[in-house]
Amino acid sequence: MTVPREMPEKWPRVRVRGGPEEERRVRANAREYNERFQYASNCIKTSKYNIVTFLPVNLFEQFQEVANTYFLFLLILQLIPQISSLSWFTTIVPLVLVLTITAVKDATDDYFRHKSDNQVNNRESQVLIGGVLRQEQWMNVRVGDIIKLENNQFVAQADLLLLSSSEPHGLCYIETAELDGETNMKVRQAIPVTAELGDTSKLARFDGEVVCESPNNKLDKFGGTLYWKENKYPLSNQNMLLRGCVLRNTEWCFGLVIFAGPDTKLMQNSGRTKFKRTSIDRLMNTLVLWIFGFLVCMGVILAIGNAIWEHEVGVCFQIYLPWDEGVHSAFFSGFLSFWSYIIILNTVVPISLYVSVEVIRLGHSYFINWDKKMYCAKRRTPAEARTTTLNEELGQVEYIFSDKTGTLTQNIMVFSKCSVNGHSYGDVQDVLGHKAELGERPEPVNFSFNPLADPRFQFWDPSLLEAVKLGDPHVHEFFRLLSLCHTVMSEEKSEGELLYKAQSPDEGALVTAARNFGFVFRFRTPKTITVHELGQAITYQLLAILDFNNIRKRMSVIVRCPEGKIRLYCKGADTILLERLHPINQDLTSVTADHLNEYAAEGLRTLVLAYKDLEESYYRDWSERLRWAGSASEAREDCLARLYDEVEHDMMLLGATAIEDKLQQGVPETIAILTLANIKIWVLTGDKQETAVNIGYSCKMLTDDMTEVFVVTGHTVLEVREELRKAREKMMDASRSVGNGFSYEEKLSSSKLTSVLEAIAGEYALVINGHSLAHALEADMEVEFLETACACKAVICCRVTPLQKAQVVELVKKYKKGVTLAIGDGANDVNMIKTAHIGVGISGQEGIQAVLASDYSFSQFKFLQRLLLVHGRWSYLRMCKFLCYFFYKNFAFTMVHFWFGFFCGFSAQTVYDQYFITLYNIVYTSLPVLAMGVFDQDVPEQRSMEYPKLYEPGQLNLLFNKREFFICIAQGIYTSVLMFFIPYGVFADATRDDGAQLADYQSFAVTVATSLVIVVSVQIGLDTGFWTAINHFFIWGSLATYFAILFTMHSDGLFRMFPNQFRFVGNAQNTLAQPTVWLTIALTTVVCIMPVVAFRFLKLDLKPELSDTVRYTQLVRKKQKTQHRCVRRAGRVGSRRSGYAFSHQEGFGELIMSGKNMRLSSLALSSFASRPSTSWIETLWKKKGSEGSGASSPSGTADKTLKV
C-alpha cells in the first residue's frame, strides 16, 4: 500500500495497554496487521456459567442474598449439638428447596443464553479469505475482514464500512428497527472509489486503510478517513452498516469490518438497565431487619431467664439433671441458650417468604400476559409483563409521564390541510361552497385522472386539485418541493404500483399527497430524482442533501432543474424557517403564520416550505467548501452546520403543510378515568406548543371549565422564575378567596417541600416550552417548578428533548414519594421509560426500541387503564393481604415457643415436634396463602373500572405499611398467647376418659399444633374475599393433609420402619379421641377468631371502606339483575361512534368531553366515606334511575359513563 503525503509516517499509539482506545486503524485483508492491536473478537458470550462453574458460582451468587446467608448460618448452628434442640433437616429442607428452585431457574435461563450464543456464534458468514469467499462462523470474523451480505440478511456480525453493492452507485437499503426503533427503510452508499469493487478479485487486492473514531455508542455519527492509492476519502455514518440492521431490496453488498463484538455501536448502547425495586420490597427488607432485632431481643430475654433459672433452681438438681459437658456456669448456659432460641425462633423470618413472593408475582405477570381484553387483534399483539418484580407497584402509581405522538395519537399521519401562497386549502366544502359542519362531509376528491394515485389517500377540498389542473405556478412549485425534498425510497412492485419507504410517517404522508395531486416521485439514484409531473417524466440532478437533525429541525435538497437552473428546496419547523425568509416575504409570512396558528389550534402538525435559487458561481464555491468540510478530520459536524446555515437564508416562502395525527381509540376516556383515580398525567412531547395544547383538549386533559391554563414561555432564568411565581400567586389568591382557612405561607413552613396540592382550590393546568423547561430544571429553580406543576391537574411540556423527559421524571422521583410511570412508543422515550419506577412501551409505528426497554408493553394507550385499575390494584391488594397474613401466621406459630420457655426452665425445648416445624411453612400453610395471593380480589374487574377511587388506597399505601405490620404482629402474638395458655390451663387439671392424667408433653404438642392449623385456616378463610375452587381445595386440602401426616407419623407402620425417629406410636389417635381435647381446640379457635370477626363487623357497619360499599352495591344489583339489564340495553343505543380525535361521540362522547360528569362523580365519591352506606346506595340508585329514564336520548348512555 502506498501511503499518501497527508498520512503521518509515524502513527500515534492506538491503544494504551489497560487504557482506552484513542483511535482505530483497520487495514483491509490484513489479519496479522490488525491482530497487533488486540481488537475485540466477534465471539458473543452472554452466558454466566458452564458445567464446571455452575454449582460454585451459582451458590456464591445466591448466598449474596442476606436471607440465604442467614439461614445457612442457622444451619451451621443446628449442627452444634450443645445449642441445637432441633434436627438439622428443619432448616436444610426449606433452604435446599429454595436454593434448588432458584438454581433450576438460573440454569434454565443460562441454558437459553448458551443456546442463543451458540446460535449466533455458529451462524455462517461469507468472508473473503485469500481471494475466495469462504463460509466462516461468525465467532471467527475479525476486524479487517471483508464480508458479503445478501438481501434480507441481518447485519449481525459487526459494524461494516460499505464497500460495494449490487445497486448502481454503491447504494444499499436497510432497516434499523433494532437500533433506533424506526421501521422505515434508510439508504446507505459506498464511497465512489470503492463502489467499483464489485467482484471478489478486485476486493481481494483492496488494501485500503481506515483511520476512524474509537468505539462509542453514537448511533447517528461516524467519523473516519479511508487512505488508498495515495488519496484520502472522508467517511461518515452514511457509509456504515451497523450491527442490528437488516439489508433490504439489495441483492448483495460487501463490507469491511470496522468494529466487532462488544465494540459495535449496538453493544456499546446495551448498557445495564437500572434494577427496579418496589416500595413493598424496600419496606419488607426494613421489616425483616426489625424482626431480626425482635428475634435477638427474645433470645436475650430467654437467655437471661435461663441463666437465672440455672443459678437459682437448676443448680439444685445437678445430681440427676447435670449440665452438658463443657458448661461450667449458669452464665455460659445462658449464652448457649441464646443461640438455641435463635434457632428455634428463626421462623419469624421464614425463608419461604421470599419464594412465595416471587411465585405470586409470577402468577400476576401471567394474568397480564393472558388478558384477552388487553390483546390487540388488529396488530396481533398481546400485553406483556416483561418483568415480574413490579406488579404490585402498578397499584400505587401517582404520576404518569406520557409521550404524545404514537402514544396518545396513532402516529398514522394524514395530509389534512395546506397553505399555498396565502391561500388555505383543506376545509370541507358543502355543495354551495360553504364550510361544511362535522358529519356533513361530501364525497372525497376524485383522483381518477392520475393512474399513479394512491387509492387510500383522501382529500376533501376539490379547489386544490382545480388549482393544480389550472396550472397555478405556486401550487405546482409547492407539490414539486414535496416530491423532491425528502429521503423517501420508492419501490415499484409492478407497473404503476408504487410503495414508498419513508423514514417518518410525516414524510410519507407529504410525498403521498404530492403523488396524488400529480407530482409522483418514481425513483432515485445517488445523483438524480425522477418525478412524473402531471404525467411527464422529469429527472432532476441531485446536487446535495442537507439532512434533518434535532438541532436544525429542517432538511433541504439542492437540485439542478432540466433547464439548468440550480434551486434549493427546504422544509422545516415554522420557528426555524420563518426566521430565514427573505424580507420580501413579510406580507405572505403574516398570512401563512395565521394559517399555521389555525392548523395548530386544530391539533395538526405543521411544516413550512420554502425555496431559493442559487447562482452557478456561488454554488461551485459553496460545494467546494462543503467537500473540504466533509473531509475535515476535526470539527467536521460544526463545519458542515455552518455551511448549511449559510445557504439556507433569504429563502422564498411557498406555504405550509398540516398533517393530522389522530388520537388513539379510547384515549379521552382513559385519561378521564385515570384522573378520577387521583393519578396526575404529564405529557412530555417534542411537538410545538399549539399542537400539544390542542391534543390536550382533545384528550380531555385540558377543559374549558378549568380555572386557568398557565403557559410558561420565558427565554431567560428571570422570565421563567417570574412566570412560575405569578402562576403560584394566582392559585394562592384563588384559594384564599374560597376560604381555605389558612395562608399559603403557613403551608410553606409545614413541610420540606411545599404541598401546594393540599392548599389550592380549583383546577389548573401548566404548559411549558422546552427552552423554558431547561431553565426550570436548574438546581436553584427545580423545586419552584415542581411545586407549581404539582398544584396543577395537568402538565404539558412541549418541545422537549429525550434528556429533558428523563430529567422531569427524575425530578418528581427526587422530591415526591409517589410512584412514577412513563409510557412511550419511540426510541426517544427510552431514557424516560428507564428512569421512571415503571416503564411501559407501546408497540406502535416507531419500532420496538421502547418496548425492549420497558417493564410492560401493549399496543394501545387505553390498555393502561386496565393495567393499573385492574391488574395493578389487584396485585397490590393481593400482595398486601399475603404479607399481612404471612407475618400473622408465623408470629402465631413461633411465639408459642417463647411462652413455653417460661415453663420449661428456659431449656430451649420446643412445643411442636420437629416434623411439624419443618412442614408448617412448606406444606400446611403455604398453598392457601399462595392461592389468596394469586387469585384474591375485593371487587370484580368491572367495578374496579367503574369506581376509580378504589385505586387510592394503593397510592396512600394504606393496605400494608408499618402500622398494618404491627397490627398483624399484635394479632399473631395475641393468637399465640391464647394458643398456649388455653390448652396449658385445660391440661393442668384435665383427665382422660379412663381417669388418667391428660397432661403429657406429646398430647399437649398435638393439641396446640392442631389448634394452630385450624385457627390459621379459619383466619385465611375470613381474609379471602374471592373464593375459587382452588382456594377451597388448598385451604381444606391443607387441613386434611395435616391430619393425614399427623396420623401417619404416629402410626405403628412408620414406627416399625424408623423406630428411632417416630417413637410416639398412637399418640395422635389417643389425644384426638378425647372430647376434652376437641373442646379445647374449639374454645381456642373461637376465642382467637371472634374478636377479629367482631371488629370487622363493627368496622363494616360504622366506617365502611369504599370497596365494602361497592360490594354491597353489587349484591343489590344482583337482586335487581333483570331491571338493570334493561337499563343497560337502553343506554347503549346509538352510543358506539368513532373514537378518533376531533370527532364527537354521540351521547357518551358529549358527556365525557364536557367534563361535568367527571367532577360530579368525583365530588359524590369524595363524600362516600363520610356517609352511611345505605344513604350512599340510595343516592347512587336515584342517580342510576334518572340515567335509565333518559337512556333513549343521545345523552342517556349513562351506564357506560364514568363512575368513580
Side-chain angles (χ1 to χ4, degrees), residues 640-696:
L640 291 174
R642 283 195 295 270
L643 285 171
Y644 291 170
D645 187 70
E646 174 192 321
V647 76
E648 292 171 331
H649 268 96
D650 294 331
M651 294 184 287
M652 302 299 294
L653 178 62
L654 266 177
T657 63
I659 292 178
E660 182 178 0
D661 187 7
K662 295 180 180 293
L663 280 181
Q664 289 192 16
Q665 186 179 8
V667 166
E669 297 90 332
T670 299
I671 289 179
I673 289 178
L674 293 177
T675 302
L676 292 174
N678 200 32
I679 297 175
K680 301 156 191 70
I681 301 176
W682 295 23
V683 172
L684 312 178
T685 177
D687 260 350
K688 62 187 298 183
Q689 175 185 310
E690 294 82 0
T691 304
V693 166
N694 285 284
I695 291 292

Side-chain angles (χ1 to χ4, degrees), residues 164-221:
S164 62
S165 76
S166 59
E167 302 300 301
H169 311 285
L171 284 175
C172 79
Y173 306 105
I174 59 171
E175 286 183 1
T176 59
E178 293 295 326
L179 292 170
D180 54 18
E182 296 176 0
T183 57
N184 308 293
M185 197 153 63
K186 297 180 174 63
V187 63
R188 294 291 183 264
Q189 185 176 9
I191 57 176
V193 70
T194 64
E196 303 169 355
L197 306 177
D199 58 76
T200 55
S201 59
K202 292 180 180 178
L203 287 166
R205 294 193 297 272
F206 176 65
D207 61 350
E209 184 158 2
V210 174
V211 179
C212 66
E213 61 190 21
S214 59
N216 59 73
N217 62 358
K218 297 176 181 177
L219 294 171
D220 58 344
K221 290 184 180 180

Side-chain angles (χ1 to χ4, degrees), residues 56-73:
V57 173
N58 185 261
L59 286 176
F60 176 78
E61 289 177 347
Q62 289 200 58
F63 282 115
Q64 300 296 306
E65 294 287 338
V66 176
N68 291 341
T69 306
Y70 166 68
F71 284 103
L72 178 65
F73 173 68

Side-chain angles (χ1 to χ4, degrees), residues 40 210 267 362 372 421 460 485 636 763 777 801 931 1010 1104 1157:
V210 174
M267 297 302 290
L362 185 63
K372 292 182 179 180
N421 194 34
W460 306 95
C485 185
R636 179 184 300 171
E763 292 183 350
L777 292 175
T801 65
T1010 305
N1157 181 61

